[in-house]
Amino acid sequence: MGMFDYEFMQRAFWAGGMIAVIAPLLGVYLVLRRQVLMADTLSHVSLAGVAIGAVLGFNPSIGGFIVALLGALIIERLRRNFRGYGEVSVAVIMTGGLALALVLMSMSSSLTRSFSSYLFGSIVAVSSTQLWIIGTVFALVIIYWVTMRRPLYNLTFDEETAQIGGTHVRWLSQTFAVLTGMTVAAAMPIVGVLLVSALMALPAALALRFAKGFTSALVIAVAIGLIGMFGGLTTSYYVNTPPGATVALLLLTFLLVGMGIQRIYYRLNRNKNDGYAPDIDSRRFWQRQNRSEQNSKVKTQVLNKR
Amino acid sequence: MLLASMQDVIFGYDREPVVNRLSMEIYSNEFLALSGPNGAAKTTSLKLLLGILKPWSGQVQIKRNEKGSKPVIGYVPQQVSSFNSGFPSTVYELVRSGCHMNLGLFRRFGAQQAQLVQSSLEAVGMWELRDRKIGELSGGQKQRVCIARALAQEPDVLILDEPTTGMDLESRKGFYELMRHHVQKHGRTVVMVTHGLEEAEPYLDRIIRLEREEGGGWACLTTSSCSARFGPEE
């Protein structure tokens, strides 16, 4: 196989593989918490960071990284202030980030060329520094997920009950946002700013349609992410198309085909199963009553003390 | 024994106070109902008590138990937003997550916990549906699953916000029985917001009615109490 003779392709596969595991993993939680646009916003914001880095003369990747982290924290903060319609925070930050990026970009003309690699992603753009960044983020996300998966489930299901149950909702929510920011910043050089959210949202969207339970949703999302990533990278190598766009189109095709198959499957199976849901009879409560002894009747007198 | 108390609590969502100088007490090992007309700040009072909302002024206290830790509270809210979307979780997974609140991050989910999840689901008659996706359940069934989840937490206090909404008469009665059982046999405290006082009254120990104050805000409080409950349990 000629593809892996090139070191940059090996790096691309390593980097892509790691991103294709963590991005869909976080994506499932983001979709369920209605925060999926956060990934998109952060990628735009981190573009501003890349521009800042380039203008001020330090590593653009690190600039993008730091700004994505800050952006994540600010979004989280604003989301709490606009309770009930947290999307507002996304719109605010997205506008700010993109506007700043464009203004800074106009200041230095040399930036414009390398910018297209950040916008659309490029396999060649994965330097060994970036590979290290991605590796670190990958390790952090995996460790975080392994330790925090129980509270994360509770948080995702319902913030209020999680809080009462003793979960540090605020802390968890913030750290989660920070890790999302890291992942977005790490994924940028591969899939490009414009398609980062595709890698988070599309596998999750498909997984949520098929999965029976939560664990299976996570597994399916990661599997789809990996297949899409490796398939997309290979295609992009042989057909010479931009990698980010190829991966995203492949994922989109999976989503559409998956939805089509599911629809046909449901239609074919409709006759066999008339859709009757066995409603367990409500007398179950009574059984318990009968089982427990009845001798301890509480005589209750209710007085109206006004 | 006094479990939690609120004193002279004032709270509002914007400028107007919704809760004005509210005081109430909750004793351990009682089945308490919180009642009142719509807009009487029942849910708000609960949230103040639970510490989700911070009062403008006044004190909210929850007694710590012998070990010095806060009591475990199982809360069943009025609505759970994730139920509306297709949250990809089976009934079993959801109830199991109740156990996780006690297990913390790493302790293993063992046979004892599995037993607890099973008995919680059986208590609400949902064991047979454990492999179903929660999004596919009916409103009343979702409510039951939520109750089972709270039970799987092995709470010291169960706080339920209109738990019987969407339940048929028989289920409601069964539910009251179940709560009664938990108060008597497991020594738990149950606080529930309800409109169906006539039905629930035979099972209750005490009722707190939130009523409208003369000349304005929803504030005043009447406690209808039952003296029989404060003696030692037979």
Side-chain angles (χ1 to χ4, degrees):
Chain A
M1 253 184 98
M3 193 163 64
F4 290 110
D5 290 345
Y6 297 100
E7 205 195 331
F8 74 87
M9 275 316 277
Q10 291 175 8
R11 277 208 293 258
F13 266 78
W14 273 111
M18 287 193 278
I19 289 169
V21 171
I22 55 177
L25 185 73
L26 296 178
V28 171
Y29 292 94
L30 286 172
V31 169
L32 290 174
R33 296 181 69 203
R34 287 152 209 274
Q35 281 188 311
V36 72
L37 280 177
M38 187 160 122
D40 212 22
T41 309
L42 287 176
S43 63
H44 285 84
V45 172
S46 85
L47 195 61
V50 168
I52 292 173
V55 168
L56 296 182
F58 55 89
N59 192 330
S61 302
I62 293 172
F65 205 81
I66 293 168
V67 172
L69 287 194
L70 288 178
L73 285 173
I74 296 171
I75 289 177
E76 189 55 33
R77 174 95 217 158
L78 281 177
R79 197 176 71 89
R80 306 229 156 246
N81 288 351
F82 289 106
R83 254 215 149 119
Y85 29 140
E87 307 94 288
V88 177
S89 66
V90 165
V92 171
I93 300 287
M94 171 112 84
T95 321
L98 201 55
L100 187 63
L102 287 174
V103 168
L104 287 172
M105 213 164 77
S106 72
M107 286 165 133
S108 108
S109 54
S110 66
L111 252 176
T112 326
R113 225 193 84 250
S114 66
F115 241 64
S116 81
S117 77
Y118 278 104
L119 278 175
F120 303 111
S122 161
I123 295 183
V124 205
V126 188
S127 67
S128 45
T129 321
Q130 280 164 334
L131 196 57
W132 272 109
I133 295 182
I134 292 168
T136 314
V137 172
F138 175 79
L140 283 176
V141 171
I142 297 297
I143 291 168
Y144 181 82
W145 180 76
V146 168
T147 46
M148 291 297 162
R149 60 187 197 285
R150 284 175 177 174
L152 269 177
Y153 175 91
N154 285 334
L155 177 80
T156 309
F157 180 68
D158 182 55
E159 285 200 10
E160 254 174 23
T161 46
Q163 191 181 352
I164 293 160
T167 308
H168 299 283
V169 165
R170 225 192 156 125
W171 181 86
L172 198 63
S173 201
Q174 266 169 3
T175 45
F176 186 80
V178 164
L179 282 173
T180 310
M182 284 181 170
T183 306
V184 167
M188 257 203 346
I190 296 253
V191 285
V193 165
L194 295 175
L195 299 167
V196 161
S197 64
L199 204 50
M200 290 203 160
L202 295 181
L206 190 56
L208 294 187
R209 286 193 80 93
F210 282 102
K212 264 269 183 236
F214 199 75
T215 319
S216 65
L218 294 175
V219 171
I220 293 176
V222 169
I224 292 170
L226 280 172
I227 296 172
M229 175 61 82
F230 290 151
L233 285 180
T234 311
T235 315
S236 127
Y237 175 80
Y238 286 112
V239 191
N240 199 17
T241 45
T246 316
V247 172
L249 279 179
L250 203 59
L251 289 174
L252 205 60
T253 315
F254 287 166
L255 184 64
L256 292 176
V257 170
M259 278 159 70
I261 289 174
Q262 192 183 39
R263 222 187 156 118
I264 293 165
Y265 177 80
Y266 279 169
R267 190 156 292 177
L268 289 177
N269 282 276
R270 204 183 276 166
N271 298 334
K272 295 174 203 159
N273 185 352
D274 54 345
Y276 172 74
D279 185 3
I280 291 304
D281 62 338
S282 41
R283 277 170 224 124
R284 211 41 73 102
F285 281 135
W286 286 104
Q287 288 184 1
R288 171 174 279 279
Q289 181 209 352
N290 295 337
R291 259 185 254 138
S292 61
E293 317 91 67
Q294 286 284 291
N295 52 11
S296 56
K297 251 191 189 141
V298 173
K299 283 183 196 135
T300 320
Q301 201 182 359
V302 179
L303 314 165
N304 262 318
K305 257 197 273 170
R306 241 169 222 251
Chain B
M1 200 182 82
L2 188 69
L3 183 83
S5 65
M6 290 167 83
Q7 259 159 20
D8 290 329
V9 166
I10 303 177
F11 175 81
Y13 288 98
D14 37 54
R15 285 179 308 165
E16 294 291 312
V18 214
V19 171
N20 203 355
R21 303 187 73 74
L22 176 74
S23 301
M24 64 178 179
E25 280 160 351
I26 292 170
Y27 300 93
S28 55
N29 204 11
E30 68 171 349
F31 189 2
L32 171 72
L34 195 61
S35 186
N38 292 135
K42 298 184 293 291
T43 302
T44 309
S45 310
L46 275 193
K47 288 185 176 171
L48 283 164
L49 189 74
L50 289 165
I52 303 179
L53 300 172
K54 293 270 167 281
W56 291 357
S57 69
Q59 282 189 319
V60 180
Q61 280 181 321
I62 295 181
K63 282 269 147 49
R64 285 167 186 271
N65 60 15
E66 309 83 54
K67 287 171 233 152
S69 55
K70 280 189 179 163
V72 178
I73 299 173
Y75 177 53
V76 180
Q78 214 167 352
Q79 300 161 323
V80 174
S81 49
S82 289
F83 268 156
N84 302 328
S85 60
F87 194 81
S89 196
T90 58
V91 168
Y92 191 85
E93 273 180 321
L94 184 67
V95 175
R96 190 186 148 132
S97 78
C99 282
H100 291 168
M101 296 189 185
N102 283 344
L103 284 176
L105 298 180
F106 296 113
R107 252 174 300 154
R108 272 198 56 200
F109 181 89
Q112 199 189 340
Q113 278 74 29
Q115 191 63 46
L116 183 64
V117 168
Q118 179 169 357
S119 68
S120 302
L121 274 168
E122 277 171 347
V124 298
M126 293 293 291
W127 175 245
E128 282 79 358
L129 298 186
R130 63 188 175 279
D131 291 326
R132 296 285 296 262
K133 248 174 117 166
I134 53 173
E136 294 168 356
L137 302 176
S138 77
Q141 290 173 331
K142 285 173 181 167
Q143 192 71 26
R144 291 179 189 206
V145 173
C146 264
I147 293 168
R149 184 184 187 222
L151 290 178
Q153 268 178 272
E154 292 196 291
D156 301 315
V157 192
L158 259 173
I159 296 187
L160 311 110
D161 199 345
E162 298 196 24
T164 51
T165 315
M167 283 188 193
D168 54 59
L169 179 66
E170 221 164 317
S171 296
R172 288 198 298 273
K173 282 185 177 163
F175 167 75
Y176 300 137
E177 289 284 348
L178 182 66
M179 291 299 116
R180 187 77 245 162
H181 168 87
H182 276 279
V183 171
Q184 279 177 322
K185 292 279 148 62
H186 301 280
R188 301 198 158 118
T189 308
V190 179
V191 180
M192 104 182 146
V193 167
T194 184
H195 288 294
L197 274 185
E198 311 86 62
E199 267 171 35
E201 220 168 89
Y203 305 93
L204 293 171
D205 296 321
R206 212 156 60 94
I207 299 166
I208 291 178
R209 286 195 174 85
L210 293 169
E211 290 178 354
R212 200 190 172 95
E213 211 175 31
E214 296 294 318
W218 292 102
C220 144
L221 143 125
T222 326
T223 314
S224 332
S225 69
C226 158
S227 46
R229 285 288 306 165
F230 298 108
E233 272 263 80
E234 281 89 26

